[in-house]
Structure formats: C-alpha cells, structure tokens
Amino acid sequence: MTAKMDRRTFLKTTAAAVVAVSMSGMLTGCGDAGTDTDFGGYTAKVVGWDTAEHPSSLNSTTPWWAEFKVKVYLKNLDKDGWKFQCKQNFRMTVDGQTQPLMDGTGAAGDLPSKDSGVVTFGMGWESRSGYLNFKMTDRALYQKIADKKAEVCVVIGGMDVKETYTLDYTTKTFVLKK
C-alpha cells in the first residue's frame, strides 16, 4: 500500500526534517564534550579515579607503594596524528607534594603506551580515554587520602592554558576549580 503525498505535505515534512537535523548539532553542546578546554592542539579532562596499593613482601626488598590512577579523556584537535607527551602536560599533587607520573605499563586501560609517557594519535581528530598512573611512596600521605583529609589536585595544560581539578570526597569525583 502506498500513501499519496501532495506537494504541500512534502514541503512541510522536508522542512521539519531539516529543522530536526540542524537542532541535533546544537544539542551536542549540552553534553560533557562541549566543556573541554582547548590546550593548543588537544582537549583533556579528568573523568574518574582509582587507587591500587602494592604492599611490600617479607621475602622482597621492594618497599610499599601505591598507584593513584587518574582517568582522563584526551582528544587530538589536529588534522594529523602526533605523539602527546603526558609528563609535560599532567601533574598531580597531594597536599602540595608532586607525585611522579609513571610510564605506561601496557596494561588494558593505561593511557600512555608501554614503557613511555606518550600517547600516540595515529590520525587527526582521534580521542582516547584511560588511566594516568601516579606513583605514591609516602604511606602517610596515601592514608590521608583514605581518610578524606588530603587535598588532591590534578593540573592539565602547558605554559599558556592550565586547568586544575580537585578531588571532591563527597561526590567521589574531580571537580574543575573555577
């Protein structure tokens, strides 16, 4: 069965479709992707966190340490691929003390590639999300985080543009400082 459509109905339907399609582009600005800051070739934001403790063992000389894992969303704004240097663009402090960013381990979910602090974008406009692992060796400082008493900050950016995210213990998320 086919329905007949006159010219007037066709034009109304077409106009409604055009409006719907054009409005969908405006609605994408309401989501999280619209809040990313352009740091000069890339956008980045903190989207989560986790920890992993590594206790020392009785038969090893390896001392206690912990990972503070910061989940980050990165997007390449360049039309070509490039290598993103994480250690130059991310910093984490706990009560003002800088925690060193570890190289990638090759584990699933790590953002930098194995044995480097680099994220390789093979093509333009590509995006990635994953964990940056910061190594903590001060057990008392780690305990202050567990007790929700330490100020944990993650700084993203280079020389010109920087953003600081602070851990909010009540929501268990990082919040962009205004």
Side-chain angles (χ1 to χ4, degrees):
M1 247 171 117
T2 60
K4 294 203 179 221
M5 185 183 296
D6 62 7
R7 183 171 184 246
R8 184 174 186 176
T9 305
F10 173 76
L11 289 174
K12 282 182 181 179
T13 305
T14 304
V18 168
V19 169
V21 170
S22 66
M23 290 294 286
S24 67
M26 289 173 31
L27 293 174
T28 60
C30 298
D32 285 342
T35 62
D36 296 352
T37 299
D38 183 349
F39 291 101
Y42 71 96
T43 63
K45 65 180 173 181
V46 176
V47 295
W49 65 282
D50 199 359
T51 60
E53 242 184 304
H54 301 276
S56 57
S57 65
L58 296 175
N59 65 351
S60 172
T61 58
T62 304
W64 174 95
W65 66 284
E67 290 172 84
F68 194 99
K69 304 161 78 135
V70 178
K71 190 163 188 180
V72 174
Y73 174 79
L74 260 178
K75 184 172 183 180
N76 176 12
L77 298 179
D78 199 308
K79 62 182 170 99
D80 300 316
W82 60 296
K83 293 182 185 261
F84 180 81
Q85 304 292 330
C86 293
K87 290 182 180 182
Q88 294 172 2
N89 295 287
F90 291 97
R91 189 170 58 91
M92 186 181 98
T93 61
V94 179
D95 284 348
Q97 296 180 34
T98 300
Q99 306 302 309
L101 177 61
M102 300 166 55
D103 288 338
T105 62
D110 272 6
L111 196 56
S113 54
K114 185 173 173 59
D115 299 326
S116 77
V118 174
V119 177
T120 302
F121 289 101
M123 58 186 174
W125 315 111
E126 189 176 0
S127 61
R128 302 262 174 87
S129 67
Y131 285 101
L132 296 172
N133 301 316
F134 293 88
K135 186 173 185 176
M136 297 188 68
T137 56
D138 185 335
R139 195 176 211 155
L141 207 53
Y142 183 81
Q143 188 59 46
K144 280 185 76 177
I145 296 170
D147 294 340
K148 302 176 182 173
K149 295 181 179 176
E151 180 182 51
V152 181
C153 296
V154 175
V155 179
I156 303 173
M159 299 290 284
D160 298 330
V161 181
K162 288 184 182 175
E163 284 186 342
T164 301
Y165 289 80
T166 305
L167 181 57
D168 181 348
Y169 291 107
T170 57
T171 62
K172 298 181 182 176
T173 60
F174 274 91
V175 178
L176 181 62
K177 272 187 168 179
K178 300 281 178 180

